[in-house]
Amino acid sequence: MKLETTAKQSAGTASRRTVLAGALGSAALVGMKDAAAQAYPSKLITIVMPYAAGGSTDVIARAIADKLRTSLGVPLIVENKPGGGGAIGSAFVARAEPNGYTLLLTPSGAIAIAPLAMKPSPFDAVKDFTPVAALHKYQLFLYARSGGGYKSMEELIAAHKAGKSISMAITGVGNSTHYCAYWLGKELGIDFVNVPYSSGSQVAMSIVKGEVDVGFLPSADLRPQINSGAVRMLLVASKNPSAAFPDVPTVSKWGLKEPEIDVWIALFGPRGLPDEIVARLSAAVSDVYRSGAVDRYLESSEKMSGTPTELAQVLASDVVKYRRFVDAAGFLRDQK
């Protein structure tokens, strides 16, 4: 009996020691994470761009990285991880350590639409990321080449009525340009032949070369071609005229329902990014935008403001909105 009592006492002591050791270990781990957050940044930061190099968002990402190198005092690189309408690069960041050294700079489509168009979805846009900073938003325009392309929406609609097949360049399945192609097709009764590319620059070249008939892009992706007259702007996907291109017809001219789309660019980290790191990055990016250092890359874009919490709300709202679009479009595809 005495041995049994002694054994129970020893077991209880060992159990208490185990609990105490676990508690101390957890406290130490929390302390280490807090210390790392306070020392941030101390090494190379990688900003992932989920599209191929050369597009307007890629150019802006590199301009921002260049300025952040100075303000944060550490090296920064932009790494392109295209594919899946932006979902591949986004998923890479979702799986990264939440230490602030792997970030995602992305258009809204790559994080809010693309994963919804894949089955199974590679990530949950609302749960798997930490919003850091909203950067800017822009309008999308419909373009055609000048030499032999459509001169106006009237010509495009007439060609459709005459039975002509019309090809539409998009920057991947399940993103903002795909959304606009789907919306315009539904509004006009046109079944566009969608041709996916990996970046805005590739879409721009496909339009100029006549590989496709039309395509949606922001003006920043085609500024040289707009200036040279190599492309025409047939439509702005908004009821509001473009401040930079006020003569481009709006959807209201054609009696079209306005697409429920706000194309925005934002910076995210993986889920669980410490508040101290979010605040450090958010302040640094805001300083870059306030300084005017990237203004020449923004074209007709509108700078955004707001807290990371407000960005989270915008993202959540967009996911709900675009899920309706994905369901209606019926283009869920298997993820191999």
Side-chain angles (χ1 to χ4, degrees), residues 81 87-98 102 122-123 128-129 269-271 335:
K81 288 186 176 294
I88 291 177
S90 300
F92 176 84
V93 175
R95 295 190 296 266
E97 284 290 321
T102 304
F123 56 82
D128 291 341
F129 296 93
R271 175 178 57 186
Q335 179 183 321

Side-chain angles (χ1 to χ4, degrees), residues 21-36:
L24 291 173
S26 297
L29 182 60
V30 171
M32 290 172 62
K33 288 184 176 179
D34 288 344

Side-chain angles (χ1 to χ4, degrees), residues 80-329:
N80 298 89
K81 288 186 176 294
I88 291 177
S90 300
F92 176 84
V93 175
R95 295 190 296 266
E97 284 290 321
N99 54 18
Y101 294 104
T102 304
L103 304 171
L104 175 70
L105 193 149
T106 180
S108 52
I111 190 172
I113 307 178
L116 301 178
M118 306 177 79
K119 187 178 181 179
S121 178
F123 56 82
D124 185 312
V126 175
K127 295 180 180 178
D128 291 341
F129 296 93
T130 301
V132 174
L135 305 181
H136 60 273
K137 59 183 178 179
Y138 53 78
Q139 295 172 315
L140 290 176
F141 298 85
L142 183 69
Y143 300 88
R145 71 186 184 283
S146 294
Y150 295 110
K151 296 182 176 64
S152 64
M153 287 297 295
E154 289 95 336
E155 280 197 7
L156 186 147
I157 294 170
H160 161 67
K161 289 181 177 179
K164 179 176 172 56
S165 175
I166 302 172
S167 56
M168 171 78 74
I170 60 175
T171 52
V173 173
N175 62 18
S176 303
T177 59
H178 192 179
Y179 176 88
C180 274
Y182 171 80
W183 155 79
L184 186 62
K186 287 295 183 183
E187 287 292 304
L188 297 178
I190 300 176
D191 187 12
F192 290 109
V193 178
N194 290 321
V195 182
Y197 293 86
S198 296
S199 70
S201 60
Q202 292 177 6
V203 168
M205 291 306 299
S206 73
I207 295 171
V208 173
K209 290 179 179 179
E211 296 173 353
V212 294
D213 294 313
V214 292
F216 278 103
L217 281 177
S219 60
D221 277 316
L222 274 159
R223 171 54 85 173
Q225 292 84 358
I226 294 170
N227 291 343
S228 68
V231 296
R232 293 188 180 92
M233 306 170 85
L234 305 183
L235 180 76
V236 57
S238 172
K239 66 181 180 181
N240 300 314
S242 164
F245 305 98
D247 295 332
V248 177
T250 66
V251 298
S252 300
K253 176 179 178 179
W254 300 102
L256 305 177
K257 180 182 177 182
E258 185 179 28
E260 295 182 71
I261 186 166
D262 289 311
V263 186
W264 43 262
I265 308 293
L267 187 68
F268 293 87
R271 175 178 57 186
L273 195 63
D275 291 343
E276 298 88 345
I277 293 179
V278 172
R280 180 82 170 93
L281 289 169
S282 181
V285 172
S286 295
D287 288 345
V288 171
Y289 268 71
R290 278 196 299 267
S291 72
V294 297
D295 283 2
R296 66 191 183 101
Y297 303 106
L298 298 182
E299 288 286 336
S300 57
S301 301
E302 177 186 345
K303 292 180 182 179
M304 296 175 69
S305 59
T307 65
T309 299
E310 289 169 330
L311 174 57
Q313 294 168 349
V314 170
L315 174 60
S317 175
D318 276 6
V319 168
V320 172
K321 175 174 62 180
Y322 293 135
R323 183 171 283 115
R324 296 197 302 268
F325 149 62
V326 169
D327 291 343

